[in-house]
Amino acid sequence: LQAIQGALSQLAVTPVTRLAGKRLEAEDFDKLMIGDTPRDLLLWLGDLEGTRGQWDEARWSAFCNRCREEYGLDPEADGELVGGERLGLREGPWAGVWERFAEAPGSYTGIPALLRRAKPKELFVDRDAWPDEAEAMEEALRQALVAVGAMSPAEGRHRLEALEVEHGVRRSWVWSKLGMCPLAGAIEHLAVLAKRTVTTLGGDTAEAMAKLYAEGGYVADDAALRVLACARSAEDVAAVRAAVRCVYLPWLEDTARQFQACLAAKALPTVERQESVEVADGECVLFADGLRFDIGQRLAAMAGTRQLEASAGWRWAALPTVTATAKPAASPVAGAVHGGNLDADFGPEVADTGEKLNPDRFRRLLSAAGFQVLGPAEAGDPRAKNARAWTEYGEFDKLGHDLQAKLASRIEDQLELLLERVQTLLDAGWKRVRVVTDHGWLLVPGGMQKVQLPKYLAESRWSRCASIKDSSHVEVPVAGWSWNPQERFAYAPGAHCFVGGQEYAHGGASLQECLVPVLTFVTTGAPAGVVVTVCEVQWFGLRCRVSVEPATDGLLVDLRTKPNVAGSSITDPKPLDAAGKTALLVEDDSLEGTTVSLVVVDASDRVICKKATTIGGDK
């Protein structure tokens, strides 16, 4: 009686078309009792006791009947091991059950353990269905990567490309979705790294090297970071570190020395000779400390997911590549700062007063220049007269110093947060958000090689740069301070470091430290949540004047015979002015008296609102 009552209660919510006019047969009863057989079968296989305990006798009986009829499995007589073996073999109707599992493997947490127990002893072809096979291949790859660390760079590159061919297929396995094949993900980026580091980045001038780097050379650095981000366990970290050092460190060292040779022949431009940061009205400058060029390109590539458009350029960081020197040089108040004597912290001075530039004085210079100085959660007032703003966001440099090579695993999260900040500023009404930074950095898993610089020769000694005493002669490269080239500082040669044990460092002279991105973001659509209304349509012959409220930047007005079809436009779309007004002209006078749609669309052609109107006006 309880079973019948349960079935009837389910029948009450069953779509009428399913059983209308049909006698309730045993098979229909089973369908009512069990519903989704593949899902329930997976739940039962993954957790026998838990699943069975939630079902009453009627549902269990119906489940067993369906399993026998559709899958040839008797849950009571055969048990879960037979079911697990058939699931892994994926023959006949079991292929559909496997597909259901592969769609959302995280929903059936007990299945991997069952498949380990149920795998048949005899040989078989398909390895991808069995988690222990995936784990065995992952261990083989781990050992292979460790072995790459002992190879020459050329041998290592060849081996990494072969390993990608062998293991790359595992990225499509269900076990990859469950995070069981991280090295299969890493080998994809290692293969890219191998190809990108075959030859040292060329160019006989810094500008020539910068051009090659910006056009694709940076991909080597990006690939190295992506490899490191794949590793989580200590064993995986050790394996990818060995492989990365084999092929990446020699390329990084040679490229840095080539760049430093170019600087010895011709120095980078001083701050005075750099193009100043000009900020237009309606623009907000977002400063992100340590936004290296390669991750800046990642940020630009992510813009499309938020209906943003990004344009990318580059500039030279000030030397030495530390925040005290390079941040004010990347700001719109660089002209109010100058370099005196180079001291231990590499900071310039306020030009008018000679006071040492510090955060408070920097903010005062920005305010005096007419900038709204915004906190990390503030949006400011983009509609104020001559509105311009400066804000700071992002922790790439801080995390690098704190986490060293582990920074790689935090980059994606930081980029998402930075892009969210850009989106917030644009949604608040800023026309453009320009992202600038101070310097890049080097990241070498396992640490950079230390080079000696005796303390008695330096006023201060940082990871990659040092302020040297006036009478000191040092055996490492020296360069002019970008704020005052008469003042000299020392920097570590190649990809070396003055401080031992550093995986993350900056302050020196390499493309990764000196070439920094400049990114400009604009919205490609109406700001999120904005609703506009066509408040006035006036016809003067075939000229239509339109007024939209509220006035919103980035919108276009069009006349169409079909509102959602851009190809049905009968006039040239026009942008709204600052007051939310525009005028449209219909050139074909034969259309007078035709009813059309006046539409307001964003830059991606999404219709924001529409209004019917008659060409020439109602008569």
Side-chain angles (χ1 to χ4, degrees):
L1 289 175
Q2 290 177 347
I4 294 172
Q5 288 172 349
L8 291 175
S9 68
Q10 294 191 44
L11 180 61
V13 296
T14 301
V16 174
T17 56
R18 179 176 174 184
L19 296 175
K22 179 181 177 182
R23 183 179 177 182
L24 184 63
E25 304 291 347
E27 120 183 26
D28 298 317
F29 179 82
D30 286 350
K31 289 180 180 178
L32 291 172
M33 297 302 294
I34 190 169
D36 189 344
T37 307
R39 175 179 177 274
D40 285 351
L41 181 54
L42 290 167
L43 290 173
W44 175 73
L45 287 172
D47 182 9
L48 270 67
E49 294 183 2
T51 305
R52 179 67 182 87
Q54 295 176 9
W55 294 348
D56 57 26
E57 287 299 324
R59 183 167 183 183
W60 172 249
S61 177
F63 170 73
C64 291
N65 287 338
R66 293 293 300 281
C67 286
R68 285 190 290 267
E69 293 173 3
E70 296 186 17
Y71 300 104
L73 175 74
D74 187 333
E76 294 177 320
D78 297 329
E80 78 280 8
L81 290 180
V82 172
E85 179 179 339
R86 293 182 183 178
L87 176 64
L89 293 175
R90 300 174 294 188
E91 295 175 347
W94 285 91
V97 182
W98 176 267
E99 289 177 4
R100 187 64 175 270
F101 168 62
E103 287 174 359
S107 301
Y108 313 102
T109 55
I111 295 296
L114 173 65
L115 290 171
R116 288 189 181 91
R117 295 164 51 214
K119 190 179 78 170
K121 300 297 183 183
E122 60 270 16
L123 294 176
F124 54 92
V125 176
D126 296 328
R127 305 180 69 181
D128 60 312
W130 310 98
D132 56 335
E133 291 291 327
E135 290 167 343
M137 294 183 71
E138 190 77 353
E139 176 60 25
L141 177 56
R142 185 179 296 113
Q143 296 303 320
L145 293 180
V146 171
V148 167
M151 298 178 181
S152 69
E155 291 172 332
R157 293 185 183 101
H158 180 74
R159 180 63 174 140
L160 290 174
E161 292 182 8
L163 289 171
E164 161 62 7
V165 173
E166 180 181 354
H167 291 274
V169 65
R170 289 192 293 120
R171 291 192 291 273
S172 64
W173 290 9
V174 66
W175 315 117
S176 183
K177 290 184 179 180
L178 292 174
M180 295 168 58
C181 305
L183 294 181
I187 192 62
E188 177 182 19
H189 305 301
L190 279 166
V192 173
L193 181 62
K195 292 178 181 178
R196 290 285 181 167
T197 56
V198 171
T199 58
T200 301
L201 200 66
D204 54 4
T205 66
E207 287 73 17
M209 291 191 72
K211 186 175 185 294
L212 292 172
Y213 186 78
E215 290 176 349
Y218 71 88
V219 174
D221 298 303
D222 180 70
L225 293 179
R226 291 180 187 272
V227 171
L228 297 172
C230 291
R232 292 291 187 269
S233 68
E235 295 83 359
D236 287 352
V237 169
V240 300
R241 180 178 64 193
V244 169
R245 285 185 69 88
C246 173
V247 299
Y248 178 61
L249 183 54
W251 176 87
L252 185 65
E253 176 72 20
D254 292 344
T255 298
R257 288 187 180 274
Q258 174 68 14
F259 182 70
Q260 290 163 8
C262 292
L263 296 189
K266 181 181 178 182
L268 294 181
T270 62
V271 174
E272 290 182 350
R273 294 173 57 197
Q274 281 261 41
E275 184 177 345
S276 60
V277 179
E278 300 292 338
V279 182
D281 292 348
E283 185 169 297
C284 180
V285 180
L286 193 163
F287 172 79
D289 193 0
L291 182 69
R292 200 169 73 169
F293 186 88
D294 54 318
I295 59 175
Q297 305 315 296
R298 259 199 248 183
L299 181 67
M302 294 165 61
T305 63
R306 293 177 177 262
Q307 285 195 323
L308 301 180
E309 181 180 320
S311 58
W314 61 269
R315 62 184 299 276
W316 292 117
L319 294 176
T321 49
V322 296
T323 298
T325 285
K327 178 179 176 178
S331 77
V333 294
V337 181
H338 80 107
N341 296 323
L342 181 62
D343 58 17
D345 66 0
F346 303 101
E349 302 171 350
V350 179
D352 288 344
T353 65
E355 297 175 298
K356 197 69 178 176
L357 188 67
N358 59 26
D360 287 339
R361 292 175 182 133
F362 179 65
R363 285 190 289 268
R364 286 201 291 269
L365 288 177
L366 287 165
S367 296
F371 284 84
Q372 302 175 32
V373 181
L374 309 179
E378 297 175 336
D381 182 8
R383 292 176 177 80
K385 184 178 180 181
N386 302 323
R388 298 180 297 167
W390 170 278
T391 190
E392 301 180 16
Y393 203 78
E395 295 186 316
F396 297 103
D397 191 41
K398 180 180 183 302
L399 290 172
H401 288 297
D402 292 344
L403 302 177
Q404 297 292 301
K406 293 179 181 178
L407 166 66
S409 64
R410 301 286 293 275
I411 285 175
E412 283 296 318
D413 290 342
Q414 285 295 302
L415 289 175
E416 288 287 352
L417 291 171
L418 185 57
L419 195 60
E420 179 67 32
R421 178 61 173 150
V422 171
Q423 180 79 69
T424 299
L425 292 166
L426 290 170
D427 286 350
W430 293 100
K431 295 179 181 179
R432 289 171 299 280
V433 174
R434 185 189 306 191
V435 177
V436 300
T437 191
D438 47 0
H439 57 75
W441 30 269
L442 298 184
L443 191 146
V444 179
M448 303 174 207
Q449 185 176 342
K450 183 179 178 180
V451 63
Q452 294 296 329
L453 178 65
K455 289 184 177 180
Y456 64 83
L457 296 177
E459 295 287 354
S460 67
R461 187 180 59 179
W462 293 17
S463 294
R464 292 263 297 156
C465 61
S467 173
I468 53 179
K469 295 179 180 179
D470 290 340
S471 59
S472 298
H473 174 73
V474 294
E475 300 297 329
V476 295
V478 296
W481 184 32
S482 289
W483 287 102
N484 180 359
Q486 301 305 313
E487 297 288 309
R488 313 289 285 175
F489 73 95
Y491 61 87
H496 288 53
C497 208
F498 292 136
V499 181
Q502 299 295 299
E503 295 181 307
Y504 171 95
H506 60 88
S510 65
L511 279 168
Q512 290 78 5
E513 295 163 287
C514 296
L515 190 74
V516 293
V518 178
L519 308 171
T520 302
F521 293 87
V522 296
T523 184
T524 59
V530 169
V531 177
V532 298
T533 303
V534 177
C535 57
E536 186 177 33
V537 179
Q538 287 186 313
W539 285 94
F540 299 88
L542 295 180
R543 183 176 295 275
C544 177
R545 293 182 180 176
V546 182
S547 179
V548 174
E549 292 182 352
T552 304
D553 189 46
L555 299 183
L556 299 171
V557 177
D558 195 10
L559 288 169
R560 299 176 178 178
T561 57
K562 298 178 181 179
N564 290 321
V565 180
S568 69
S569 176
I570 59 172
T571 186
D572 292 327
K574 293 291 185 65
L576 295 165
D577 63 18
K581 297 182 179 181
T582 193
L584 302 170
L585 176 65
V586 178
E587 296 182 349
D588 186 356
D589 57 8
S590 68
L591 294 174
E592 187 171 3
T594 303
T595 299
V596 295
S597 293
L598 187 144
V599 296
V600 180
V601 299
D602 62 22
S604 62
D605 205 45
R606 180 168 57 96
V607 177
I608 305 300
C609 71
K610 61 185 179 67
K611 185 181 181 70
T613 184
T614 300
I615 297 175
D618 293 323
K619 302 300 183 183

